[in-house]
Amino acid sequence: MVAAGGGEDRVLLALLADGAFHSGESLALRLGISRAAIWKRIGRLEELGLAVERRSGRGYRLDGGIELLERDRILVALPQATRDVLHRLEVHDVVGSTNELLLRALRNGTASPGTVVLAEQQTAGRGRRGRRWMSPFAGNIYLSLAWRFERGVAALEGLSLATGIAVVHALECSGVTGVGLKWPNDLVAGEAKLGGILIELEGELSGPVDAVIGIGLNVRMPRATAALIDQPWIDLETLVARRADRNALAAALVVSCFSMLPRFAAGGFGAFGDEWRRLDVLAGHDVTVMAGDGRALHGRADGVDPNGALRLLHAQGLQLLVSGEVSVRRSA
Ligand code: BTN
């Protein structure tokens, strides 16, 4: 385990994963260390933000249990077509940011397009517009994947929208309904944010570009982290009112993204228009858009153009926006 010190912590976590009480003595026996050492390691798990209940006479319990990401479980769930394009799958415990790690690896040649990076926790998770992405340990999904586009940056318009569609497809294949897309790349349920997408690029303006596509999905947000989020949000387990299988979800995301990417590389966003219309939560609403240049624009959202730009109708006519942050205006 990267930050929590040694593979033994993963073993300890695996023992506590069932959410039942385990005595210090039995844990010490299983790990072949002293009870005092167990006590110390429990402290390290708490430092990761995990809620460990300590009860005298009964031992330790991970409140609600936990499901750790397991590379082998994810790999085994991938069909051959996905394995054919997957270069490597990495599962980390603690990283700064999966996007940042993958970008750096592409830059120094230690990763290739087709690499997927997942982490249990991000200490410097990146959101859009320089925001921080809350990334508590083992609660949510933080996934980045790399893909090479041969035709330069201009051919990538609409990629984040197509990625949003791929994420919703993965959720639908996993039995989750009721998730929509808020332009440009928020995953929403009702008015609450379920996840987001951050695409970062490495390469030439007109030559081959490596895109790192980062997906953050709230699965089970710990209460302590929830208090720090400054916008309406929801997690998957609340939405579906049952436990989620993060390994199966991670696999579904990889399958869906790797099926969308060749399609997007070949034909751009155009082929995704119908799907966008089905999932677009803004269409027909009065909105305010904080445009990339800081201007606030008011109008009615009218879907997107064939490149994925937002169509905003207002008194002066139609305006196409390629970036920005949208909020829906409520009538008084
Ligand atoms: C947003 O602000 O809506 C985008 C959030 C994107 C978060 C994901 S989590 C995996 C990847 N690594 C990061 O540091 N950010 C993205």
Side-chain angles (χ1 to χ4, degrees), residues 106-298:
L106 287 167
R107 227 171 275 141
N108 64 28
T110 54
S112 303
T115 300
V116 175
V117 175
L118 281 148
E120 293 287 12
Q121 181 182 19
Q122 301 185 116
T123 53
R126 299 175 176 177
R128 289 180 64 231
R129 301 182 145 222
R131 293 202 189 101
R132 195 171 152 211
W133 188 255
M134 292 296 174
S135 310
F137 189 86
N140 303 323
I141 288 186
Y142 320 113
L143 181 152
S144 298
L145 55 86
W147 193 263
R148 173 156 302 168
F149 293 90
E150 300 294 343
R151 288 186 292 138
V153 174
L156 299 188
E157 268 181 78
L159 176 59
S160 66
L161 282 68
T163 303
I165 292 170
V167 175
V168 176
H169 283 175
L171 292 171
E172 289 175 344
C173 286
S174 312
V176 181
T177 53
V179 178
L181 294 168
K182 181 176 151 211
W183 185 90
N185 49 19
D186 279 359
L187 292 137
V188 293
E191 291 181 12
K193 182 156 169 166
L194 177 71
I197 292 154
L198 178 70
I199 297 183
E200 299 183 84
L201 304 176
E202 178 66 32
E204 307 292 319
L205 266 184
S206 55
V209 182
D210 286 338
V212 167
I213 301 173
I215 299 167
L217 191 65
N218 301 333
V219 180
R220 191 197 316 172
M221 191 68 83
R223 255 168 286 159
T225 311
L228 306 172
I229 304 178
D230 60 0
Q231 59 179 320
W233 63 275
I234 188 166
D235 62 17
L236 208 61
E237 293 198 346
T238 307
L239 181 67
V240 297
R242 61 179 150 83
R243 291 302 287 264
D245 178 337
R246 286 193 308 137
N247 285 294
L249 276 171
L253 287 171
V254 174
V255 172
S256 189
C257 286
F258 278 153
S259 132
M260 172 278 290
L261 284 163
R263 225 176 117 209
F264 183 89
F269 180 71
F272 296 85
D274 285 345
E275 268 309 89
W276 181 267
R277 273 185 284 284
R278 177 174 77 86
L279 300 169
D280 184 357
V281 298
L282 292 178
H285 287 279
D286 289 333
V287 296
T288 298
V289 186
M290 292 303 297
D293 60 10
R295 278 176 311 151
L297 304 162
H298 306 294

